[in-house]
Each structure stands twice: as structure tokens, then as C-alpha cells.
Amino acid sequence: TKGSPLLSLEDENSKAVPISSCHFTQNSQYLASGGNDGILKIWDLKKRNLGQSYKCHFGSITSVNWNSDDSLVASSSMIGDIVLHNI
């Protein structure tokens, strides 16, 4: 059976950008996402909005991942760079 959407997230510009990677924090309060625009986005799921965004890559983001205590997010891109973000 198909699931139904719980929440649809849009940024302040309501501009749809393909997302290539996303990852929840341990307590599921935040979701990190990255896509073709090279911007890492941190979504606040309790407030249901975009909390922070970082233009940190020149290529498409390929992977995002929180560390074990949810204080850092690592993101990588198509051009091979990796950036650590202190959240």
C-alpha cells in the first residue's frame, strides 16, 4: 500500500529543487537535505519550516549525514568536496 505524506517542506522562495540526499537527527527534530543547487538546508520539523541554509558547494550535493550527537552535518558534492557544518 502507498503511504500518505505527513509534511511537505518548501523554502522561503517556494522554489522546487531536486533533492539528492536527506538525513534525520537522532530525535527527528531536524532534517538535513541537499540537492542540485549546492545548498545544505536544515529543516526544523517541529516548527515545519526551513531553519538554516548554507550555500557550501559549487556542485550538486550527493550526501548529507549528521554525526552521532547531531552537532555536525557533513555534506559532499559531485566535484568531490566534503564540508563539515557546526550546527
Side-chain angles (χ1 to χ4, degrees), residues 1-67:
T1 63
K2 291 185 178 180
S4 59
L6 297 175
L7 177 63
S8 178
L9 300 171
E10 294 180 354
D11 67 15
E12 62 277 359
N13 300 322
S14 296
K15 185 173 95 175
V17 173
I19 293 174
S20 53
S21 183
C22 62
H23 194 256
F24 288 98
T25 55
Q26 295 291 328
N27 65 5
S28 297
Q29 180 176 349
Y30 299 101
L31 175 72
S33 69
N36 292 351
D37 58 2
I39 298 174
L40 173 71
K41 296 179 181 178
I42 308 297
W43 301 92
D44 186 325
L45 300 178
K46 287 185 179 180
K47 294 180 181 177
R48 297 179 175 232
N49 67 8
L50 179 62
Q52 301 174 48
S53 63
Y54 304 93
K55 176 62 177 164
C56 50
H57 295 282
F58 294 106
S60 297
I61 293 176
T62 56
S63 180
V64 297
N65 202 3
W66 293 91
N67 70 334

